[in-house]
Amino acid sequence: NLAEIKYPKVAPWMITAMNEIGQKEVPGPQKANPRILEYHKASSLEAKDDSGARNAWCASFVSWVMKQHGYTPPQNAMRALSWMNFGKFVAKPTFGTIGVKSRDGGGHVAFVIGQSRDGNFLYMLGGNQNDEVNILHYDRNVWGKFVVPIDYDAKNDILPVYYKKVDSAGRED
């Protein structure tokens, strides 16, 4: 609940992203959750289903969220690693920062929502995390780059400690 976060400013796209938690793939060939197809359209990926490995949708989810707030996704926005070229780099992640990482077979992109008490883990809100939009925790060191929109001033933002229990990082394909 964003109302529970006690600081002056919240990255506006995070309300949109959090409202999507629970969107899931529809298993089976040529079947799809219509919302996930909207995500694909936002990234310019012409997909007819949402569960094939060729149609990994973490980057499509981020594209859709950011487009809802007037931001133009990077070229090849359907590819997670293309988000390294979005906006501007930030050295320290804060609430709402976009994290990008490499993984076997490609990359993954998600929104930072918090950190563990010891700071070793990041809690990430993303699409296509175990076939749905959810929050998972990841080792902080797996993330290669953090970005925000070019016109967004994150210098006064914070990274809150996240206390809710969530699963560890899982499938991202």
Side-chain angles (χ1 to χ4, degrees), residues 68-79:
Q68 302 308 302
H69 294 272
Y71 294 105
T72 302
Q75 189 172 17
N76 298 314
M78 74 288 291
R79 304 282 179 242

Side-chain angles (χ1 to χ4, degrees), residues 25-32 36 40 49-57 128 131 171 173:
E25 291 181 6
V26 176
Q30 302 301 315
K31 295 183 180 178
I36 295 172
H40 283 314
D49 69 32
D50 58 22
S51 60
R54 293 177 314 208
N55 295 335
W57 51 276
N128 203 32
D131 301 332
R171 283 196 3 259
D173 57 2

Side-chain angles (χ1 to χ4, degrees), residues 104-172:
D104 287 341
H108 186 59
V109 60
F111 298 101
V112 179
I113 65 158
Q115 65 182 329
S116 60
R117 241 181 289 189
D118 63 8
N120 292 330
F121 295 93
L122 292 177
Y123 291 81
M124 306 296 290
L125 189 166
N128 203 32
Q129 296 183 159
N130 294 331
D131 301 332
E132 65 181 286
V133 176
N134 61 25
I135 298 168
L136 297 177
H137 84 289
Y138 290 79
D139 186 300
R140 184 184 204 109
N141 297 323
V142 302
W143 297 94
K145 191 170 185 181
F146 299 99
V147 297
V148 294
I150 196 84
D151 65 346
Y152 185 74
D153 182 5
K155 72 180 177 203
N156 294 319
D157 285 1
I158 64 166
L159 184 57
V161 172
Y162 193 81
Y163 291 100
K164 293 186 180 177
K165 180 153 177 54
V166 299
D167 291 333
S168 296
R171 283 196 3 259
E172 301 162 343

Side-chain angles (χ1 to χ4, degrees), residues 53-64:
R54 293 177 314 208
N55 295 335
W57 51 276
C58 63
S60 293
F61 171 69
V62 173
S63 297
W64 182 86

